[in-house]
Amino acid sequence: MNRFRERRDAPRVPFVGQALVFEGNRRLTCEVANLSTAGAYLLTADPLPVGAFLRLNLRIFGAPATIDLDAVVVRCDGSGSGVTFRSPCAAAVEAIAAWVAAQGRARDSDDQSQRAPVGRLVLVLGRSIIEDRLFEGAMVSIGRDGDNDVAIDNRSVSRRHCEIRATVEHAVVRDLESANGTLVNGRSVRTAVLREGDDIAVGKFLLLFRPGERQLAGLLHRQPAAAADREADLDTTKLGDEEYQAALRSLLEERKPHLQLIRAGPTGSSDRFPLDHGEIVLGRGQDADVPLEGRLIRARQARVVREFEDVFSIEALAQSPALTVNGARVSRQTLQDGDRIHIGANELVFRGGTGGASGG
C-alpha cells in the first residue's frame, strides 16, 4: 500500500510536541499528541510493541524546559503508540498540567495577539527561484488552486496541499490530505514546527521558510512559463512509487552537504563533491578527494572535517596558497551554507550544514 494512502487513512490528532524515545538500545525521535498528565500518543513510523518500557525526553511547544519521564506502551495502531506515564515526579505532573491548562485558556480566548506574520517564503524548482514573497498574515495556504496564497500550477501539487500558521512562539506547517504528501527537510509529516531555513517539499517544488541570504546564494530568479491550459483545472497527478522515490532522492541529494568546485570560464560550470566521509582532502593528485589546480598546490592542501551531524569545518594543511573563507584568511573555520572558499585560483562553495561562525 502506498505510504501516503496509509498516512491519510490514519486518525488525525493534534501535534503538541516532540519526544526523544529510548527503548532498550533503540533510540528514535517522534511527534507527540493528545498529551495529558496520565500519558500521551507518540506518532512513530514503526509502532512500538505493547508492553514496552520507554524513557522519554519530552519537549512540549511553549514549555520552558524538557521533561524526563518513564512510560509503558499500552496500545498501537497504524500511525503510532499510546503510552501511559509510570510514576511521574510531581514536578513533571505540574509542568504538564500547567501546559494543558494554558492551551485550554488559549483556545477559549482565541487570543489574536498570539498570532504572528508567517514571514518570507521562497518557492524553488531545482536551482531556480519561482516566487519570493513576504507574508504579513498569520496563515498561508499552498496548493494548485489559484486562490491559494502560494499557487503552484503543477499537477504534482494538490488543489489544497498544505498550510502554514504562525504564532509568536512558532510556525507550524500542516498537510491537508494532499495526494503526494508534504515533507519538511526530507521527512514526511502531517504537521511540523518550522525553523528558519527549513525546506518544505510540495510535489516537485521546494518552499523555503524564512531563508537566510546564504541559503539563497547560487539560486537563479526566473518567472514560471505561462501554461496554455491551467493545470489547476486538472486532477492531481499522483506520483507513482518509482517517480516519487526519484523525486525524493533528487530533493534529498540536493540537501546533502557538499562542495561545489566552480570552473573558470564563461559557462560558470561546477563539479559537485559530496561530504559523505569524516575527512575530505582538497589537493593535487589522485589521492585528493577534491582535485585542485595550481603549481603551488600540495597533495594535501586542506581538508574538510565533519565535526558532528551536519556541522563541518575546513582546515589549512599548508601555509601557501592561503585558505580564505568569504575573503578572510583562516587556518580553520566552521562552515555555513553558502560560504565561498578560495585556495589559490580555485573557488569552491559549501552547501549544507548548520554550523556557526568561528575562525582562527
Side-chain angles (χ1 to χ4, degrees), residues 39-165:
Y41 186 73
L42 307 181
L43 302 175
T44 53
D46 298 317
L48 298 166
V50 173
F53 292 97
L54 311 176
R55 288 185 297 117
L56 306 178
N57 181 251
L58 182 63
R59 180 182 296 277
I60 313 172
F61 300 141
T66 59
I67 302 170
D68 292 320
L69 294 158
D70 291 332
V72 61
V73 180
V74 294
R75 65 183 178 88
C76 293
D77 56 35
S79 59
S81 306
V83 301
T84 298
F85 299 141
R86 302 177 63 209
S87 304
C89 67
V93 172
E94 290 175 4
I96 295 173
W99 184 87
V100 171
Q103 297 305 299
R105 290 192 298 270
R107 285 192 297 270
D108 292 341
S109 63
D110 191 26
D111 188 2
Q112 299 291 324
S113 67
Q114 293 299 306
R115 298 185 179 184
V118 169
R120 187 183 188 185
L121 297 176
V122 178
L123 183 65
V124 175
L125 178 61
R127 301 298 298 174
S128 297
I129 295 177
I130 306 300
E131 189 173 359
D132 185 347
R133 291 175 59 189
L134 186 66
F135 290 91
E136 299 295 340
M139 195 277 282
V140 171
S141 61
I142 300 106
R144 198 170 74 247
D145 278 354
D147 58 354
N148 284 287
D149 299 304
V150 178
I152 306 174
D153 192 16
N154 186 277
R155 291 177 66 189
S156 68
V157 180
S158 295
R159 290 183 172 87
R160 295 278 186 263
H161 199 103
C162 62
E163 66 181 17
I164 299 173
R165 293 181 180 269

Side-chain angles (χ1 to χ4, degrees), residues 66-341:
T66 59
I67 302 170
D68 292 320
L69 294 158
D70 291 332
V72 61
V73 180
V74 294
R75 65 183 178 88
C76 293
D77 56 35
S79 59
S81 306
V83 301
T84 298
F85 299 141
R86 302 177 63 209
S87 304
C89 67
V93 172
E94 290 175 4
I96 295 173
W99 184 87
V100 171
Q103 297 305 299
R105 290 192 298 270
R107 285 192 297 270
D108 292 341
S109 63
D110 191 26
D111 188 2
Q112 299 291 324
S113 67
Q114 293 299 306
R115 298 185 179 184
V118 169
R120 187 183 188 185
L121 297 176
V122 178
L123 183 65
V124 175
L125 178 61
R127 301 298 298 174
S128 297
I129 295 177
I130 306 300
E131 189 173 359
D132 185 347
R133 291 175 59 189
L134 186 66
F135 290 91
E136 299 295 340
M139 195 277 282
V140 171
S141 61
I142 300 106
R144 198 170 74 247
D145 278 354
D147 58 354
N148 284 287
D149 299 304
V150 178
I152 306 174
D153 192 16
N154 186 277
R155 291 177 66 189
S156 68
V157 180
S158 295
R159 290 183 172 87
R160 295 278 186 263
H161 199 103
C162 62
E163 66 181 17
I164 299 173
R165 293 181 180 269
T167 69
V168 293
E169 294 179 346
H170 54 253
V172 174
V173 61
R174 181 167 69 96
D175 183 69
L176 300 177
E177 307 276 344
S178 63
N180 288 308
T182 300
L183 287 76
V184 175
N185 299 330
R187 184 172 64 93
S188 175
V189 299
R190 291 185 190 84
T191 55
V193 173
L194 297 171
R195 295 186 176 91
E196 291 185 1
D198 280 351
D199 56 63
I200 306 164
V202 179
K204 299 179 179 180
F205 295 75
L206 280 182
L207 194 63
L208 306 181
F209 175 73
R210 299 175 185 172
E213 292 305 320
R214 288 190 176 186
Q215 191 176 2
L216 302 178
L219 298 180
L220 303 175
H221 289 264
R222 75 172 177 85
Q223 294 297 321
D229 298 307
R230 275 194 53 80
E231 294 190 359
D233 300 329
L234 305 174
D235 290 335
T236 303
T237 298
K238 182 70 172 69
L239 299 177
D241 287 341
E242 290 187 6
E243 187 179 4
Y244 170 78
Q245 291 298 331
L248 180 58
R249 282 196 301 271
S250 177
L251 290 173
L252 294 179
E253 189 65 26
E254 187 61 39
R255 291 188 62 252
K256 286 182 179 179
H258 63 276
L259 287 176
Q260 284 181 285
L261 178 60
I262 310 300
R263 296 297 183 187
T267 61
S269 62
S270 63
D271 293 330
R272 177 193 180 102
F273 296 91
L275 301 177
D276 50 7
H277 300 294
E279 177 185 274
I280 301 295
V281 175
L282 293 73
R284 189 175 181 180
Q286 296 181 346
D287 294 335
D289 301 298
V290 180
L292 303 180
E293 297 179 349
R295 184 171 58 86
L296 300 179
I297 297 293
R298 309 288 181 85
R300 291 174 57 89
Q301 183 71 32
R303 64 175 184 168
V304 173
V305 178
R306 182 191 294 268
E307 302 290 356
F308 60 92
E309 294 182 353
D310 284 342
V311 177
F312 294 83
S313 64
I314 189 168
E315 179 183 7
L317 301 178
Q319 293 298 315
S320 180
L323 165 65
T324 68
V325 177
N326 300 325
R329 180 168 182 165
V330 299
S331 58
R332 186 183 180 92
Q333 173 82 25
T334 301
L335 294 172
Q336 299 185 49
D337 185 58
D339 277 350
R340 290 194 168 269
I341 303 161

